[in-house]
Amino acid sequence: MVPVDDTALYVTDTRGPGRPIVYLNGSYADHKPWRPTIAALGSDWRHITYDERARGRSKLSSDYSFEACLRDLDAVLEATGVERPLLVGWSYGAALAVHWADRHPDRVLGVVSADGAMPYGLTGKEGEERIRKLFHRMRFLLPVVRPLGMAARMSAEQHAEINIEINGLCASMAPVLERLTCPVRYVLATGSNLGGGEEEMEAVRASLDPVLARNPNLRVSSKVSSNHSHILRKDFRAIALAVRETAAAHDQRTH
């Protein structure tokens, strides 16, 4: 367990001499969905996972903000002694990865985004109301899916607050993405998702196009057939390939 602020985080680390990858989870997930990707990459890499506050085996906290999650990443890096990670994030975790990379351009090897870190979000009163209604309807389901690593040990209201905050951050993410100087590779799902139909999810992914045109460090590694929720389970090979592409792009640049 790694202590940080008023909580402690459950961390796994395969150690070894391989390049370190730090995996950043979705908003309410634990580290378990990364297992297929880790297996696909194998022992040539050092794999570090952790559960965010109130997720998985980590402890509760009084602060579940995005800034707190960035501090958690700092704490994990310090505890594991990793100075230059390759960050692999899914959904919320991808947003964490690009924001951390933007703040620490000299410390990051690269970023892989699994269907996240796109400059689109539900904002304003209408967006907030939609999010709150969604989680209110799910309030009885959350405890059921929690043992499966699909919900945090939080109330439906707390889940909604996290979602509202990240939607606002994503809506204003374009300048962050345009500043990134490290290699960034996207693996994009193409299916519809809980809370968003096919047309809306396509609009989310299309929001990335102007940023890709302006920053050559950002590229789409692949578009896959799964949806946002299933991408780590069904398309882990594409994510592993994007990891290798990102590391190769970093090496090509440094050499």
Side-chain angles (χ1 to χ4, degrees):
M1 301 294 283
V2 172
V4 55
D5 295 345
D6 63 347
T7 186
L9 309 176
Y10 176 77
V11 179
T12 72
D13 183 357
T14 61
R15 302 187 183 279
R19 277 183 164 160
I21 304 173
V22 179
Y23 297 88
L24 304 174
N25 312 325
S27 297
Y28 318 109
D30 62 12
H31 67 282
K32 294 175 185 176
W34 292 112
R35 288 173 177 172
T37 302
I38 292 171
L41 286 167
S43 59
D44 291 339
W45 305 79
R46 177 182 175 185
H47 305 283
I48 298 168
T49 70
Y50 66 98
D51 295 338
E52 269 294 351
R53 306 172 183 214
R55 286 80 150 178
R57 300 185 187 180
S58 293
K59 303 299 183 182
L60 300 178
S61 174
S62 60
D63 185 357
Y64 299 117
S65 67
F66 190 80
E67 288 296 324
C69 292
L70 287 171
R71 294 197 299 274
D72 290 348
L73 176 53
D74 287 330
V76 169
L77 292 174
E78 182 177 359
T80 55
V82 171
E83 296 181 358
R84 196 173 180 83
L86 196 162
L87 300 176
V88 182
W90 167 43
S91 189
Y92 187 94
L96 286 172
V98 299
H99 273 268
W100 194 90
D102 179 50
R103 298 184 188 191
H104 306 281
D106 297 329
R107 292 181 57 195
V108 64
L109 187 150
V111 170
V112 173
S113 164
D115 212 44
M118 291 170 277
Y120 182 102
L122 301 175
T123 58
K125 290 184 179 180
E126 183 178 347
E128 290 187 14
E129 183 178 358
R130 176 177 167 184
I131 292 168
R132 293 188 195 281
K133 285 182 177 179
L134 173 64
F135 282 97
H136 181 71
R137 290 197 301 269
M138 294 173 60
R139 66 191 185 280
F140 300 118
L141 180 62
L142 295 174
V144 176
V145 300
R146 188 177 297 149
L148 304 176
M150 298 169 62
R153 297 192 307 282
M154 304 175 189
S155 67
E157 291 78 10
Q158 288 173 314
H159 280 80
E161 288 300 326
I162 291 171
N163 202 279
I164 289 168
E165 182 187 32
I166 192 60
N167 268 272
L169 287 166
C170 286
S172 59
M173 186 178 284
V176 174
L177 296 173
E178 291 171 7
R179 288 194 300 263
L180 291 176
T181 56
C182 66
V184 180
R185 296 296 180 266
Y186 283 84
V187 180
L188 300 179
T190 56
S192 59
N193 191 60
L194 177 65
E198 187 171 345
E199 184 176 340
E200 181 176 19
M201 297 308 294
E202 185 58 33
V204 174
R205 290 151 193 152
S207 71
L208 190 59
D209 292 341
V211 179
L212 294 172
R214 289 193 288 267
N215 187 346
N217 296 311
L218 279 60
R219 298 183 185 177
V220 174
S221 174
S222 62
K223 292 186 177 182
V224 295
S225 60
S226 58
N227 68 13
H228 185 78
S229 298
H230 296 156
I231 189 169
L232 298 192
R233 178 166 59 88
K234 294 187 175 181
D235 288 295
F236 59 89
R237 293 181 183 86
I239 298 168
L241 177 61
V243 169
R244 296 187 180 99
E245 288 178 358
T246 305
H250 170 270
D251 291 348
Q252 185 177 20
R253 180 180 301 180
T254 56
H255 295 155

